[in-house]
Amino acid sequence: MSDTIFSKIIAKEIPAEIIYEDDISLAFKDINPQAPVHFLVIPKKAIATINDIAEDDKALVGHLYVVAAKLATEMGFAQQGYRAVMNCNEFGGQTVYHIHLHVLAGKPMGWPPYTDKLKIE
Ligand code: 5GP
């Protein structure tokens, strides 16, 4: 699969505010934060979208949530609450095709997430 900007962050070819790293994952602050706290947890393995997650990736994807919760606890917002979300393809709002868990915190989140007057038929 083709390289994305996140491959370059993993390779330390471009800078990012990295807040956690282990052998299989990386977490760093989002460059365009949408909440007082907004970071991304990504696998080092390049997986383009949720649709490309294979059976063998189940533990890896679960690990992203474990890292998110660990960081939420360490950063002090786990009990208050937060959103952990992965966007998929165009309608999901995905812009970088290397899966990433958005972790947003520090203010109450709205629901539903879309902002237009879309009516569900
Ligand atoms: P998506 O829209 O694919 O769900 O989320 C991609 C996220 O990556 C966006 O929130 C965007 O701000 C963030 N992003 C894109 N390029 C960079 C970058 O070069 N560095 C960092 N730290 N975040 C980025």
Side-chain angles (χ1 to χ4, degrees), residues 5-6 28-32 40 87 93-96 100 102:
I5 195 92
F6 290 174
F28 54 91
K29 293 185 182 176
D30 196 291
I31 204 167
N32 183 24
L40 307 172
N87 298 326
Q94 185 173 8
T95 57
V96 178
H100 46 283
H102 289 265

Side-chain angles (χ1 to χ4, degrees), residues 42-117:
I42 71 171
K44 289 187 174 175
K45 177 181 177 182
I47 301 170
T49 78
I50 294 173
N51 298 333
D52 301 298
I53 296 170
E55 283 288 321
D56 284 353
D57 299 322
K58 286 195 290 194
L60 176 59
V61 175
H63 181 73
L64 305 181
Y65 284 90
V66 172
V67 170
K70 170 185 158 65
L71 291 173
T73 299
E74 288 175 3
M75 293 166 77
F77 59 80
Q79 292 310 312
Q80 191 176 45
Y82 56 98
R83 177 139 323 147
V85 64
M86 202 177 276
N87 298 326
C88 183
N89 280 338
E90 183 187 356
F91 275 23
Q94 185 173 8
T95 57
V96 178
Y97 284 79
H98 179 130
I99 61 166
H100 46 283
L101 193 58
H102 289 265
V103 179
L104 302 123
K107 66 179 183 183
M109 303 291 149
W111 192 265
Y114 49 81
T115 53
D116 64 9
K117 298 271 190 287

